[in-house]
């Protein structure tokens, strides 16, 4: 049965109403199909994971690259896809809005916008500008049904100020974000505080170094869990270990730890 974009968007919104779910991050069509095959109900793109597949560093891809990638993912699976849309590939709110419109047209069910500038000397946009960027994204999404995720990147840039994070996330919620995300949070206390602050809107946890299980995160009130580039790094880990062994030792032992080709063919047939 063909699942329409509208169906995916409605299903994705429903998933955010209760419980907690894992939102794993594929890097390409094959890994997206594999995650659907394993029973995941939704997936999210990874800016880093995708960038590495085309030989680029994270945050060095273009909006054209990303929209092509998102369209490919969305058309390849029958489950919702959430877009890691970085900072909207622009600074000014109106240009962010134009790019968000492009992102929505790829068929994604959700789309996130970050508040980081990429400049280590001034890593976050001024609060007022960051809020306007979320408002512009909300307007661009319109009545498409696509879910908007507002992200505060403070902790990833070493700004471990929980009050600042909460202030920004609540402002993003007021500006129209449907789900809130602050990657880098690790302690149960910080996670619980943010969940409480943004409620009743759902909170996305980057599992990172928190050490939490799905059940433990759910007990804290987390609605969804993503893993960022971790699956991509795991895959690259196996690839690089085997390749380095061949290059440096001329031996092939690591190749024996690969996933069964027969199982892969079976999964994709």
């Amino acid at each position: 049965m063909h699942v329409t974009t509208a169906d995916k968007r409605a299903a994705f919104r429903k998933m955010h109403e209760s419980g907690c779910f894992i939102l794993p991050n594929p890097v390409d069509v094959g890994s997206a199909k594999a995650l659907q095959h394993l029973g995941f109900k939704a997936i999210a793109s990874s800016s880093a994971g995708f960038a590495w597949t085309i030989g680029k560093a994270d945050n060095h891809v273009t909006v054209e690259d990303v929209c092509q990638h998102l369209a490919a993912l969305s058309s390849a699976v029958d489950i919702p896809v959430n877009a890691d849309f970085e900072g909207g590939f622009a600074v000014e709110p109106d240009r962010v809005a134009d790019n968000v419109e492009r992102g929505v047209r790829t068929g994604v069910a959700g789309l996130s916008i970050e508040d980081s500038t990429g400049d280590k000397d001034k890593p976050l946009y001024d609060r007022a500008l960051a809020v306007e960027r979320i408002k512009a994204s909300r307007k661009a999404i319109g009545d498409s049904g696509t879910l908007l995720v507002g992200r505060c990147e403070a902790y990833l840039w070493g700004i471990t100020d929980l009050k600042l994070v909460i202030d920004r996330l609540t402002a993003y919620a007021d500006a129209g974000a449907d789900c809130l995300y602050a990657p880098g949070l690790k302690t149960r206390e910080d996670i619980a505080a943010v969940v409480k602050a943004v409620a009743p809107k759902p909170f996305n946890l980057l599992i990172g170094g928190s050490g939490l299980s799905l059940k433990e995160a759910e007990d804290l009130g987390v609605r969804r869990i993503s893993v960022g580039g971790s699956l991509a790094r795991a895959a690259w880990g196996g690839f690089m270990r085997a390749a380095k062994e061949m290059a440096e030792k001329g031996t092939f032992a690591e190749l024996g730890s690969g996933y069964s080709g027969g199982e892969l063919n079976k999964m994709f047939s």
Side-chain angles (χ1 to χ4, degrees), residues 208-224:
S210 70
L212 298 175
S213 67
L214 172 64
K215 179 63 168 61
E216 289 168 335
E218 182 174 12
D219 288 344
L220 292 176
V222 171
R223 185 70 74 232
R224 67 185 214 184

Side-chain angles (χ1 to χ4, degrees), residues 50-212:
F50 167 60
W52 299 329
T53 67
I54 59 173
K56 294 185 178 182
D58 191 15
N59 303 123
H60 285 74
V61 296
T62 67
V63 67
E64 289 79 10
D65 292 332
V66 169
C67 285
Q68 289 177 13
H69 173 60
L70 294 173
L73 293 184
S74 297
S75 62
V77 295
D78 294 326
I79 56 178
V81 175
N82 190 95
D84 179 344
F85 214 61
E86 302 187 28
F89 305 94
V91 175
E92 300 83 2
D94 57 341
R95 291 187 59 206
V96 171
D98 290 341
N99 290 335
V100 167
E101 285 185 9
R102 292 182 62 180
V104 169
R105 290 197 296 271
T106 67
V108 295
L111 183 147
S112 65
I113 293 293
E114 304 170 4
D115 60 3
S116 59
T117 64
D119 179 358
K120 67 180 185 300
D121 294 324
K122 188 180 180 182
L124 302 180
Y125 289 114
D126 289 338
R127 183 185 185 278
L129 176 57
V131 170
E132 287 304 313
R133 286 159 47 85
I134 294 294
K135 287 182 179 179
S137 299
R138 174 78 273 159
K139 185 175 180 180
I141 285 173
D143 61 359
S144 67
T146 303
L147 186 140
L148 175 61
V149 182
R151 292 178 51 149
C152 179
E153 305 291 289
Y155 271 53
L156 291 187
W157 287 90
I159 306 172
T160 54
D161 183 341
L162 191 64
K163 289 184 178 179
L164 178 149
V165 169
I166 288 173
D167 174 68
R168 284 190 173 233
L169 291 184
T170 54
Y172 300 162
D174 291 341
D178 302 295
C179 179
L180 291 311
Y181 188 6
L185 299 182
K186 294 181 180 179
T187 70
R188 293 169 183 261
E189 293 76 18
D190 285 355
I191 294 166
V194 173
V195 167
K196 181 180 180 181
V198 303
K201 292 195 175 181
F203 177 69
N204 182 109
L205 174 67
L206 177 67
I207 202 64
S210 70
L212 298 175

